[in-house]
Amino acid sequence: MMRKLTGIATLAACLLGWSGPSPDKASAAGSYTAKVYADSLTVRSEPAKDAAVKGSVKNGSLVTVSDEQHGWMKVQAGKTSGWVAGYYLKKVSGSAQASPATATTTTKATTTAATVKTSGGTKVSVAADSLRIRSGPGTGYEVLGSLRAGDSVTPLARENGWVRISTAGGQQGWVAGQYLSSSGTSAVQTVSAAVPAASTGSLRGKLIVVDPGHGGSDPGMIGTTYNTMEKDLNLQTALYVRDYLRDAGARVELTRTSDQKPTLSRRAGLSAALGADAFVSIHYNSSPKKVSGTLTFYYSEADDLRLARALETRLGQGIGLKSNGISFGDYHILRNNGAPAALVELGFLSNPTDESTVRTSSYQKKAARAIANGMADYFRR
């Protein structure tokens, strides 16, 4: 969080009562495949930070998840089996029980059915410092290579904001269409000029900046029971928010995508630099008091307040922790922002039950979906 709750007025907003759920000890229903988002993820013999180390898995590795306890995931990675911290994993497929051949065939059939082909020939250029080429239209697909700013490619097809391209060297793959441009027009628009967008809604075309708080040498709050680092939860939740927003048709920029520490000025200034339509900062909370639940902050009483209310309303509709409402927050990241901005605190790492809950991917996804839905409500004037 940006600061601990110390003021009487702010604490009053949080001390509305305790109604957090009991720790989730149930096993996950069925196994699935997940991708590792850590330089080296330690595999332990039991779901506890002091358990014996059985090995490790590298960043980008795919593992099979079969169980979940208090935010720990039981995984199988090659010959290594054990428990890892769940917030370093992200689900990339529906079921890990299908054979690789079956899963590949199904994915290709789905992609072909939904893909809009183009005649090709039109050249577009890369508008990002680095753009990954993937084997399919989504972040869960294998990375085949990368492009640099200014590289020229030929668009071949599009699907839900992703563009299938051919590089100057003949390599083909999929890239996020929002990072391609042709005479000031996005490649998604260029490729699909004769075909209506796959989905419509209040978020279609909106540019949202999502800020995973803290990072790098700044861990944020550290959980009092499981030593959970806030910076990791912030990033994982922000990635889920990004995915839900993009699924709804929004363009999304993150202030950080790894364990970095951008300055507050750089985070807040990104809105003005990009001409963003809205900004949301993701955090988890801490307090010396026994408090629980979420809290949403705003600065201005114009658009900031309305955005905060829209997000809080969705967060209060049953994500697993109670909502403590909205509160004024005199934070740099809100005060100096060029777009309607809000900061969400998604649970107290100082509360054992909250910490156990927020470590789970299921909670993070519910919170992320609520934030995305709240954004849609905000723009649905």
Side-chain angles (χ1 to χ4, degrees):
M1 70 172 190
M2 303 298 291
R3 63 179 180 181
K4 290 186 177 179
L5 301 179
T6 54
I8 295 176
T10 307
L11 278 173
C14 296
L15 295 170
L16 299 177
W18 183 89
S19 61
S22 59
D24 178 13
K25 297 182 180 180
S27 297
S31 60
Y32 59 88
T33 302
K35 190 172 183 179
V36 175
Y37 286 86
D39 290 339
S40 181
L41 183 57
T42 301
V43 181
R44 299 185 181 276
S45 60
E46 301 291 339
K49 61 184 178 63
D50 297 324
V53 175
K54 298 185 66 178
S56 64
V57 286
K58 296 181 179 179
N59 185 37
S61 299
L62 296 179
V63 300
T64 300
V65 180
S66 59
D67 197 1
E68 178 177 345
Q69 291 188 22
H70 298 294
W72 289 85
M73 303 289 194
K74 188 173 184 180
V75 302
Q76 180 76 42
K79 296 181 179 180
T80 303
S81 176
W83 295 84
V84 300
Y87 47 81
Y88 290 115
L89 299 179
K90 182 179 177 183
K91 185 177 179 180
V92 296
S93 70
S95 173
Q97 296 175 351
S99 67
T102 301
T104 301
T105 302
T106 302
T107 300
K108 287 184 177 179
T110 302
T111 300
T112 302
T115 298
V116 178
K117 294 184 179 180
T118 69
S119 59
T122 303
K123 296 288 185 180
V124 296
S125 59
V126 175
D129 291 339
S130 179
L131 182 60
R132 291 180 176 179
I133 304 173
R134 297 184 180 273
S135 61
T139 56
Y141 288 86
E142 178 186 1
V143 175
L144 303 178
S146 64
L147 298 165
R148 295 183 179 181
D151 285 350
S152 180
V153 299
T154 301
L156 304 176
R158 69 168 296 275
E159 180 184 341
N160 295 330
W162 288 80
V163 179
R164 186 166 178 262
I165 55 93
S166 176
T167 69
Q171 181 181 17
Q172 293 189 9
W174 292 82
V175 298
Q178 69 194 78
Y179 299 114
L180 299 178
S181 65
S182 176
S183 301
T185 304
S186 74
V188 173
Q189 294 172 322
T190 302
V191 174
S192 60
V195 182
S199 62
T200 59
S202 55
L203 287 174
R204 170 62 59 184
K206 299 297 183 182
L207 176 56
I208 313 297
V209 174
V210 180
D211 171 47
H214 306 286
S217 61
D218 176 16
M221 297 300 120
I222 298 179
T224 55
T225 303
Y226 300 103
N227 291 326
T228 307
M229 287 193 289
E230 183 194 352
K231 67 175 184 178
D232 296 326
L233 292 182
N234 293 342
L235 179 56
Q236 184 60 67
T237 305
L239 291 173
Y240 288 134
V241 174
R242 176 200 64 186
D243 292 347
Y244 285 129
L245 287 172
R246 285 183 177 173
D247 287 346
R251 296 181 296 142
V252 184
E253 290 286 345
L254 270 67
T255 59
R256 68 181 180 95
T257 56
S258 60
D259 194 16
Q260 307 157 322
K261 185 188 175 184
T263 64
L264 293 178
S265 296
R266 183 175 178 181
R267 294 174 196 254
L270 192 59
S271 293
L274 297 176
D277 296 294
F279 176 103
V280 60
S281 189
I282 310 297
H283 289 263
Y284 287 81
N285 219 331
S286 180
S287 172
K289 302 292 185 179
K290 187 177 181 181
V291 290
S292 169
T294 68
L295 187 60
T296 304
F297 289 97
Y298 67 94
Y299 180 74
S300 80
E301 294 187 1
D303 286 340
D304 285 11
L305 177 58
R306 194 162 58 83
L307 175 60
R309 281 176 174 163
L311 298 180
E312 185 276 329
T313 296
R314 288 290 187 165
L315 289 170
Q317 292 179 351
I319 65 171
L321 293 178
K322 61 177 287 189
S323 169
N324 289 305
I326 61 177
S327 180
F328 172 76
D330 188 9
Y331 302 138
H332 179 104
I333 208 163
L334 301 181
R335 185 176 62 249
N336 297 291
N337 211 295
L343 185 150
V344 293
E345 300 275 8
L346 298 175
F348 284 82
L349 297 181
S350 53
N351 181 305
T353 301
D354 274 26
E355 185 183 3
S356 177
T357 299
V358 303
R359 287 165 57 90
T360 65
S361 59
S362 60
Y363 174 83
Q364 294 165 28
K365 289 176 182 178
K366 288 178 184 177
R369 186 181 292 276
I371 292 169
N373 288 338
M375 278 287 181
D377 293 342
Y378 170 76
F379 288 109
R380 192 178 294 118
R381 300 170 187 259

